Amino acid sequence: METIKTLIFNRFKIISLLTISMALSIVLLMIRMKLHQSFYLLFLVWNLFLAIIPFAITTGLTSPKKINKISLFIFFGIWLLFLPNAPYLVTDLMHLTRTDQSFLWLDILVIMSFAFNGLILFFLSLSDMEKLLKRYLKPNMIMPLMLSIFGLTAFGIYLGRFLRHNSWEIINNPLNIFSDIFNIIFQPNIEAWIFTLTFGSFLAISYWMLKAFSNSKI
């Protein structure tokens, strides 16, 4: 309990701002539901919950209590498994094709607010993990690992959005997901590779731009 209190206290400002931002997203969704008299887009709340998981993992790992290298890499694997859920919210913009044109602006605002929170959770969690890895790995290993994380995250989003897999399937249905991964790797699938390259590049450039801005004295 003391550890949880310490974590909340140390990250009070970030957690408070995230809470306000996510609360706004839910309020916007409730307004949308009232005006449309429909529960459509309610799934965004579940997607946002999944997006919180990687941030919760790295927040726990940044506690003052030092962890050993083996434990870190076990948690790293779990974290990487759930990480695509955060930026996945960006792809929910595809649902705008099914929205009512009379309130298109509201649906854009709702989905964008959830997507924004997903990206912020992704960038914060990734920044935490990068700092942790720098404590245990050689400097020349960090950049290749970061590039791999961006690529694997984008690939994971593709599996979730277009092949409808989720993070839990690695446990309850591993053969199905590994079969699809094998087919993508060893059989021509231009869409999968283009999506992975472009979305991974978007995440990488956005992340490093935000880091540059945060380090700027302007």
Side-chain angles (χ1 to χ4, degrees), residues 11 47-61 75 78-87 118 121-126 128-129 167:
R11 314 201 76 176
N47 289 352
L48 183 59
F49 168 75
L50 293 176
I52 295 172
I53 295 177
F55 176 71
I57 292 173
T58 52
T59 296
L61 291 175
F75 279 111
I78 298 172
W79 170 81
L80 188 59
L81 187 64
F82 285 96
L83 186 61
N85 290 309
L121 288 165
F122 171 76
F123 294 137
L124 288 172
S125 183
L126 186 58
D128 288 342
M129 183 56 73
S167 301

Side-chain angles (χ1 to χ4, degrees), residues 56-68:
I57 292 173
T58 52
T59 296
L61 291 175
T62 55
S63 66
K65 184 178 180 181
K66 187 176 178 63
I67 61 173
N68 59 56

Side-chain angles (χ1 to χ4, degrees), residues 22-34:
M22 289 187 286
L24 174 61
S25 296
I26 294 172
V27 169
L28 289 171
L29 178 60
M30 292 173 64
I31 294 172
R32 193 259 180 208
M33 290 166 57
K34 178 66 176 177

Side-chain angles (χ1 to χ4, degrees), residues 8 29 55 62 70 82-83 91-92 109 128 133 149 173 179 194 197 209:
I8 294 176
L29 178 60
F55 176 71
T62 55
I70 295 176
F82 285 96
L83 186 61
T91 65
D92 282 323
L109 188 58
D128 288 342
L133 292 173
I149 290 173
N173 194 11
S179 175
I194 291 178
L197 179 62
M209 281 182 65

Side-chain angles (χ1 to χ4, degrees), residues 7-207:
L7 290 174
I8 294 176
F9 180 78
N10 290 340
R11 314 201 76 176
F12 180 77
K13 184 176 181 180
I14 291 176
I15 293 174
S16 296
L17 289 172
L18 281 171
T19 301
I20 293 171
S21 182
M22 289 187 286
L24 174 61
S25 296
I26 294 172
V27 169
L28 289 171
L29 178 60
M30 292 173 64
I31 294 172
R32 193 259 180 208
M33 290 166 57
K34 178 66 176 177
L35 291 175
H36 282 270
Q37 293 293 305
S38 169
F39 290 106
Y40 184 59
L41 296 184
L42 189 59
F43 59 83
L44 289 170
V45 177
W46 173 249
N47 289 352
L48 183 59
F49 168 75
L50 293 176
I52 295 172
I53 295 177
F55 176 71
I57 292 173
T58 52
T59 296
L61 291 175
T62 55
S63 66
K65 184 178 180 181
K66 187 176 178 63
I67 61 173
N68 59 56
K69 186 179 290 188
I70 295 176
S71 297
L72 173 63
F73 289 119
I74 291 174
F75 279 111
F76 174 81
I78 298 172
W79 170 81
L80 188 59
L81 187 64
F82 285 96
L83 186 61
N85 290 309
Y88 176 88
L89 279 157
V90 174
T91 65
D92 282 323
L93 287 165
M94 295 174 66
H95 293 287
L96 289 172
T97 58
R98 299 174 56 186
T99 194
D100 185 351
Q101 294 297 310
S102 61
F103 283 104
L104 178 61
W105 64 270
L106 180 57
D107 285 3
I108 292 173
L109 188 58
V110 170
I111 298 177
M112 282 294 295
S113 68
F114 277 88
F116 172 78
N117 284 311
L119 285 173
I120 293 299
L121 288 165
F122 171 76
F123 294 137
L124 288 172
S125 183
L126 186 58
S127 178
D128 288 342
M129 183 56 73
E130 183 180 8
K131 292 173 184 175
L132 284 166
L133 292 173
K134 285 180 177 178
R135 299 180 192 173
Y136 296 88
L137 299 178
K138 296 178 180 179
N140 61 353
M141 296 177 64
I142 300 300
M143 181 58 71
L145 185 56
M146 292 296 292
L147 292 173
S148 298
I149 290 173
F150 291 122
L152 290 172
T153 298
F155 186 68
I157 294 171
Y158 178 86
L159 293 176
R161 171 54 65 194
F162 299 102
L163 301 187
R164 309 308 301 164
H165 289 298
N166 59 66
S167 301
W168 312 103
E169 287 188 48
I170 198 70
I171 298 174
N172 59 26
N173 194 11
L175 291 179
N176 188 31
I177 190 170
F178 282 126
S179 175
D180 283 340
I181 292 173
F182 180 87
N183 289 334
I184 290 172
I185 293 175
F186 294 101
Q187 295 180 10
N189 189 325
I190 301 301
E191 181 187 43
W193 289 112
I194 291 178
F195 180 90
T196 299
L197 179 62
T198 55
F199 206 97
S201 298
F202 162 73
L203 293 176
I205 293 172
S206 300
Y207 176 69

